[in-house]
Amino acid sequence: MQQDKKLKISLIQYDVIWEDAKANHDYLDKILENHQTDIILLPEMFASGFSMAVDQIGEKPFGPTFQWMEQKAKELNCAVAGSVSTLENDKYFNRFYFVTPNSGIYMYDKKHLFSYGKEATVYSAGDKIVTIEYKGWKIRPIVCYDLRFPVWIRNTEENPYDLLLCNASWPKARREAWITLLKARAMENMAYVAGVNRTGIDGYDLEYKGDSHLFDTLGEDLEVINSHPEILQFEIDKEKQDKTRKHFNFLNDRDSFYFG
């Protein structure tokens, strides 16, 4: 596969409309109109907010929100990624979709469920690492609470990646942990790490400040290359990453392990 040496990534941090998929689709249509990028990353459960009311917000696989993502990917000629409350085989999953403009589809079910927020009482955990191949880049998707578990995210020889995508609903009260963990995952895995988070106040009266970031291979903040308040766009560079990895060779000294 031919590789694009540089990718533009747009992190969409906005006040998700509570438990109203159509309203969120319509709002995103407005702010994303004519937007040019390679990847759009949306917050966790961007069509509903991080709600446990699965009987109200749960969608069948490839349901209305997936269809909106597919249409948007084709319309804007970019990949669209985000997670959706999904009902499959009588179980609900916090499912991350990555949809490309040529109808490529990747799915990842959130592994670590946020027990403190009762997520584990209504959702089922996934158990598979997923590697996305897009424009010659290897991309690892995770969802929110997964970020706290470095073994699951480890950049290994068996499952290597160049870019980690994390979408979240991470409250303001724990914002320092959010930023610190994103930065740490970038440094320890020598990978770009993109983290998008919602803003506003949700249906449980929790406040969110966004704090979306994209860290480079050494954990440095990349500069935003546009000025839209809800669209933080960055550019990542594979040649720069390869040069940094070759120079420092930190990954060569990592411990070997396996999931068992």
Side-chain angles (χ1 to χ4, degrees), residues 68-101:
W68 176 87
M69 296 173 74
E70 190 173 43
Q71 178 184 349
K72 193 58 56 179
K74 292 177 180 177
E75 175 188 321
L76 299 178
N77 192 33
C78 68
V80 178
S83 77
V84 182
S85 177
T86 304
L87 172 63
E88 185 173 32
N89 297 328
D90 297 321
K91 293 181 179 179
Y92 288 94
F93 298 92
N94 189 342
R95 179 162 293 172
F96 184 109
Y97 288 113
F98 185 99
V99 187
T100 74

Side-chain angles (χ1 to χ4, degrees), residues 3 6 10 15 17-18 24 29 42 57 59 62 64 82 95 103 107 113 146 178 184 187 189 196 203 258-259:
Q3 183 176 72
K6 296 182 180 182
S10 298
D15 187 355
I17 302 162
W18 192 247
N24 284 296
D29 282 338
L42 299 160
I57 67 168
E59 301 184 12
F62 313 115
R95 179 162 293 172
S103 299
M107 296 180 293
L113 302 177
D146 284 329
W178 162 248
M187 289 190 288
N189 293 299
V196 69
Y258 66 94
F259 294 106

Side-chain angles (χ1 to χ4, degrees), residues 47-170:
S48 62
F50 185 62
S51 170
M52 301 303 104
V54 289
D55 55 335
Q56 297 180 44
I57 67 168
E59 301 184 12
K60 293 181 180 180
F62 313 115
T65 295
F66 169 84
Q67 292 167 24
W68 176 87
M69 296 173 74
E70 190 173 43
Q71 178 184 349
K72 193 58 56 179
K74 292 177 180 177
E75 175 188 321
L76 299 178
N77 192 33
C78 68
V80 178
S83 77
V84 182
S85 177
T86 304
L87 172 63
E88 185 173 32
N89 297 328
D90 297 321
K91 293 181 179 179
Y92 288 94
F93 298 92
N94 189 342
R95 179 162 293 172
F96 184 109
Y97 288 113
F98 185 99
V99 187
T100 74
N102 60 356
S103 299
I105 302 166
Y106 294 86
M107 296 180 293
Y108 164 75
D109 291 331
K110 185 178 182 181
K111 170 71 162 62
H112 299 91
L113 302 177
F114 189 47
S115 55
Y116 181 80
K118 305 295 191 292
E119 184 181 15
T121 65
V122 292
Y123 288 94
S124 295
D127 61 1
K128 292 181 174 60
I129 290 173
V130 173
T131 302
I132 296 163
E133 300 273 356
Y134 180 64
K135 295 195 171 185
W137 290 69
K138 291 184 182 296
I139 302 171
R140 174 80 61 83
I142 62 169
V143 180
C144 200
Y145 193 45
D146 284 329
L147 185 64
R148 286 187 177 270
F149 301 92
V151 173
W152 182 246
I153 302 168
R154 190 63 172 137
N155 198 347
T156 64
E157 291 185 77
E158 295 78 15
N159 291 293
Y161 62 88
D162 310 305
L163 167 66
L164 183 75
L165 297 181
C166 179
N167 63 346
S169 289
W170 203 289

Side-chain angles (χ1 to χ4, degrees), residues 12-21 23-25 27-28 42-51 83 168-169 197-203 208 230:
I12 317 302
Q13 58 172 33
Y14 70 105
D15 187 355
V16 177
I17 302 162
W18 192 247
E19 297 178 352
D20 192 336
N24 284 296
H25 300 166
Y27 184 75
L28 289 166
L42 299 160
E44 182 179 25
M45 293 192 196
F46 70 91
S48 62
F50 185 62
S51 170
S83 77
S169 289
N197 189 29
R198 63 162 292 168
T199 62
I201 297 175
D202 71 10
Y208 302 82
E230 294 173 303

